[in-house]
Amino acid sequence: MNRNQARFIPGEEIGSVTDWDFGDVDKSSARFAAKLAAQALAEEQAKEALVRQSSFSEGHAQGYAEGYAQGHAQATLEGQRQLNDYISNEGKVAAEAMAQLFANAQAQLAESEQAMARGVLELACEIARQVLRHEMSSNPNALQPVVREALSVLAIDSKAALVRMNPLDVEVLSEVLRQEFSNLSLTMLPDSAISRGGCLVEAAGTVVDGTVEQRWRKTVATLGLEAPWEDADANT
C-alpha cells in the first residue's frame, strides 16, 4: 500500500470519538437573521449619526453666519457710536476751531481790503491836491466861482460885503467881481494869510469860509479821510 492509499487506524490510536452534531437548522437561521438585523441596526445607527453630523454642521454653519452678522452689526453700531461721540466732542471742537480760523481769515481779508481802499483814496486825494495847486497857480480865475457863490448867498440879506483874498488874487479878480456884482458895495481886502484860490466873505455878521483848506477838508471828509491841504513838512 502506497502513501496515497488510505490506511486503517488501529483501535489503540483512537482516543475518543465525538458525535458529529449537524445542529438545528432553525437555530442557525435565527442566528443569521439576528446577524442581519444587527447589521441593519448598525447601518441605521450609522445613517442617523451621519444625519446628526450633517445637522450639526449645518447648525454650526448657520450659527457662525448668524454670529458673524450679529458681530458685524454690533461693530457697525459701535463705530457709529464712536463717530457720533467724535462729532459731539473732538469734531465739534475742531469744527469750532476751523470756523474761528475762517472768521479770522475773513476779518484779515476785510482789513486788507479796507487798507488797500484807503490807500487808493489817499493816493487819489494827493493827485487831486497837486492838480488843484497847479490849477490855482496857473489860473487865477479858478477862484471866481467860489466868490460868486458866496456873494450870491449873502447878497439876499445885505447890500454890502467884505471879501478877503490873497493879494495876488485881489489883483486879478477885484475889477471882475465889482462889475459882476455892481449892485453890491464890495470891499476887497488883501490878506496874505489866505492861500491863493481861497477867500473869506463877510456880510451882515455872517462869514462864508471859502478858503482852500476848508473846502479841501470838507471834500476829503466825505470820503472818510483826514488829509490836510498843506503837509506838515511844507510848513516847516
Side-chain angles (χ1 to χ4, degrees):
M1 180 179 298
N2 56 28
R3 295 177 60 183
N4 293 329
Q5 294 177 342
R7 70 183 181 89
F8 293 100
I9 302 173
E12 60 273 11
E13 293 181 7
I14 300 174
S16 64
V17 179
T18 302
D19 296 333
W20 180 263
D21 187 5
F22 287 97
D24 191 349
V25 175
D26 294 335
K27 290 182 179 180
S28 297
S29 297
R31 284 195 299 272
F32 181 73
K35 184 177 180 180
L36 290 177
Q39 290 179 352
L41 179 61
E43 291 178 358
E44 185 66 24
Q45 290 176 348
K47 290 180 180 179
E48 291 178 356
L50 289 175
V51 171
R52 287 195 299 271
Q53 180 65 28
S54 177
S55 299
F56 174 78
S57 299
E58 292 177 359
H60 182 269
Q62 182 179 0
Y64 176 81
E66 292 177 353
Y68 176 81
Q70 183 178 2
H72 180 71
Q74 290 178 351
T76 302
L77 290 176
E78 179 63 19
Q80 186 64 40
R81 184 189 65 79
Q82 293 180 0
L83 179 61
N84 292 335
D85 291 342
Y86 176 82
I87 293 175
S88 300
N89 297 302
E90 290 87 351
K92 182 179 180 180
V93 174
E96 292 177 351
M98 184 62 68
Q100 185 62 42
L101 288 175
F102 182 75
N104 292 339
Q106 289 282 68
Q108 292 177 359
L109 179 60
E111 291 178 359
S112 298
E113 290 178 348
Q114 291 180 358
M116 292 176 61
R118 186 177 182 88
V120 171
L121 284 176
E122 291 176 349
L123 177 61
C125 287
E126 179 61 26
I127 294 174
R129 180 169 57 180
Q130 297 300 329
V131 171
L132 288 174
R133 283 177 175 173
H134 180 268
E135 177 69 15
M136 286 184 294
S137 63
S138 61
N139 182 18
N141 292 326
L143 176 61
Q144 187 174 349
V146 179
V147 180
R148 182 185 297 116
E149 181 180 356
L151 291 174
S152 298
V153 173
L154 297 178
I156 298 175
D157 299 325
S158 177
K159 296 297 182 181
L162 173 64
V163 180
R164 297 175 180 270
M165 293 184 294
N166 185 274
L168 296 177
D169 291 332
V170 171
E171 292 180 4
V172 175
L173 297 176
S174 178
E175 188 62 29
V176 175
L177 292 174
R178 290 182 189 278
Q179 291 179 2
E180 184 174 352
F181 294 92
S182 58
N183 60 325
L184 294 177
S185 174
L186 293 181
T187 302
M188 303 294 179
L189 181 61
D191 190 343
S192 59
I194 298 177
S195 302
R196 291 207 65 181
C199 64
L200 286 174
V201 181
E202 304 177 20
T206 302
V207 178
V208 175
D209 191 343
T211 59
V212 176
E213 292 79 5
Q214 180 64 15
R215 284 150 48 201
W216 175 258
R217 189 181 302 112
K218 288 182 178 180
T219 300
V220 297
T222 60
L223 301 176
L225 299 177
E226 293 182 2
W229 174 253
E230 296 289 346
D231 293 331
D233 294 339
N235 296 328
T236 59

